[in-house]
Amino acid sequence: MNSYGTQKAICELLLGDYSRRGFFDGIGLRLPTICVRPGAPNKAASGFFSGIIREPLAGKEAMLPVGDDVRHWHASPRSAVEFLLRAATLDGRDVGPRRTLSMPGLSATVAEQIEALRRIAGDRAVRLIRREPDESIMGIGGTWAPGL
């Protein structure tokens, strides 16, 4: 539903076609949003999913550009590494002609994330989340799959 998604779809189609034609034996993975991402906040539209957990746990303020009802699909960094390592061992013949696989994840709303933060780190950490609506990110978020 946006240019980023279109580019991903094109790559998946090329991967399938080139594997079918024998140019290479490829497998694509659709990863959930990896949360909590290590490191500093970045400009990724989905970066706030990590930020609202990572920053308050470090005693820092986090920006929340969307509403509490936004639902998204998450996996941990450890899971992402495991998905990639497993995919590297797959035989393309076992996968078949559809070469892109969707990896499992956890579907959660922003409110559920914040409540989990509250249970682990308390109200003080939750108070470090600053709600700052961003129409651009809300628009992009409306095109994301809501979770599985």
Side-chain angles (χ1 to χ4, degrees):
M1 302 301 296
N2 59 35
S3 293
Y4 177 66
T6 300
Q7 293 160 12
K8 287 175 28 175
I10 290 167
C11 290
E12 290 175 2
L13 289 168
L14 285 171
L15 174 72
D17 187 47
Y18 288 4
S19 292
R20 178 186 59 78
R21 294 175 66 193
F23 296 157
F24 56 74
D25 184 17
I27 294 175
L29 300 181
R30 289 182 186 155
L31 297 175
T33 291
I34 305 306
C35 188
V36 171
R37 296 177 191 163
N42 61 37
K43 298 288 184 187
S46 62
F48 70 87
F49 289 114
S50 288
I52 63 172
I53 303 295
R54 180 188 55 236
E55 308 319 323
L57 287 175
K60 298 177 183 175
E61 189 174 73
M63 306 298 216
L64 178 58
V66 301
D68 286 5
D69 60 338
V70 170
R71 177 174 292 281
H72 205 55
W73 176 44
H74 306 272
S76 69
R78 181 178 306 217
S79 294
V81 169
E82 291 173 6
F83 298 151
L84 294 168
L85 291 173
R86 177 69 175 114
T89 67
L90 293 176
D91 184 326
R93 293 174 297 210
D94 295 335
V95 176
R98 298 192 193 284
R99 292 306 185 100
T100 301
L101 308 173
S102 293
M103 297 296 97
L106 172 71
S107 176
T109 64
V110 168
E112 290 168 333
Q113 281 189 271
I114 292 171
E115 187 52 37
L117 176 64
R118 185 184 320 279
R119 283 193 309 270
I120 298 302
D123 288 329
R124 186 174 175 185
V126 170
R127 284 193 296 272
L128 290 170
I129 298 171
R130 188 171 78 200
R131 284 162 167 53
E132 193 169 289
D134 182 320
E135 294 296 326
S136 174
I137 292 177
M138 287 189 275
I140 293 168
T143 67
W144 291 325
L148 304 176

